[in-house]
Amino acid sequence: MTRIFRKTEKGVDEIATRANRLVPRLRTALILVDGTRGETELSNLIKQHPAETLEELLTMGYIEVAAVTEAPKKAVSEEAPVKKGAAADAGSAEKAFPAFRAEAVRAFNDLTGPAGEALAMKMEKAASREQLGPLLQTAFQIISNARGTQAAVEFKARFASF
């Protein structure tokens, strides 16, 4: 069984304010917790002592268990395919937007880590495609600077078509 973690109110506040001045290892792990990743996926992303780090964040009250699953969680793109083109109706686009936004934020976080947290938080707050579009362009530029043109082009190809 795999636990899926999400940030508590204390965790969200810590990301926004840095009030408790978490050590970088814990802060980076806290940023990676998004309510959709299981222990296994988080363990692959957290570099130093992943199990201990997650338990420490849990004990300190920055994260909580959102769910316990038996099977590995499917990727967002498999769960909710996004219809493209004129055939996609408005209802489907509205339902698909939150999943698309979450996938874009997750990909951006994976590519930039803590350096991109301010933009990731803005992306999470975007309520529409119109609001998210300019943020995705900024994300493309940040990824290009941080990870190179190839990573930025792949990110843009994946998320520019929504």
Side-chain angles (χ1 to χ4, degrees):
M1 292 209 276
T2 300
R3 296 180 295 179
I4 297 174
F5 296 106
R6 68 176 166 225
K7 293 177 189 81
T8 61
E9 190 173 319
K10 180 180 178 181
V12 171
D13 184 55
E14 177 61 23
I15 294 298
T17 66
R18 297 179 186 230
N20 298 308
R21 299 180 185 189
L22 285 177
V23 296
R25 174 181 61 87
L26 293 176
R27 182 170 174 75
T28 300
L30 181 60
I31 290 167
L32 293 170
V33 172
D34 65 359
T36 62
R37 293 183 175 126
E39 285 177 280
T40 305
E41 188 176 356
L42 286 168
S43 292
N44 291 333
L45 297 172
I46 299 171
K47 303 292 184 214
Q48 297 176 343
H49 312 290
E52 295 85 358
T53 300
L54 291 171
E55 287 304 318
E56 191 170 350
L57 288 171
L58 187 63
T59 302
M60 295 170 75
Y62 290 105
I63 63 173
E64 63 189 2
V65 177
V68 178
T69 62
E70 298 229 3
K73 189 168 174 97
K74 292 181 179 178
V76 173
S77 60
E78 294 174 17
E79 290 176 3
V82 177
K83 295 179 183 177
K84 296 179 182 168
D89 64 341
S92 293
E94 287 177 22
K95 291 177 185 174
F97 177 73
F100 173 80
R101 180 186 59 215
E103 187 176 348
V105 170
R106 188 175 315 114
F108 179 70
N109 276 334
D110 289 348
L111 289 167
T112 62
E117 77 179 73
L119 181 61
M121 291 173 68
K122 288 179 183 178
M123 290 169 65
E124 286 175 343
K125 292 178 183 176
S128 66
R129 289 185 290 169
E130 291 76 23
Q131 291 177 356
L132 187 60
L135 299 172
L136 287 173
Q137 184 60 33
T138 302
F140 171 77
Q141 293 168 347
I142 291 171
I143 293 166
S144 180
N145 290 337
R147 299 291 288 248
T149 305
Q150 183 62 34
V153 168
E154 290 172 6
F155 180 86
K156 189 172 191 175
R158 186 171 169 195
F159 298 108
S161 63
F162 187 80

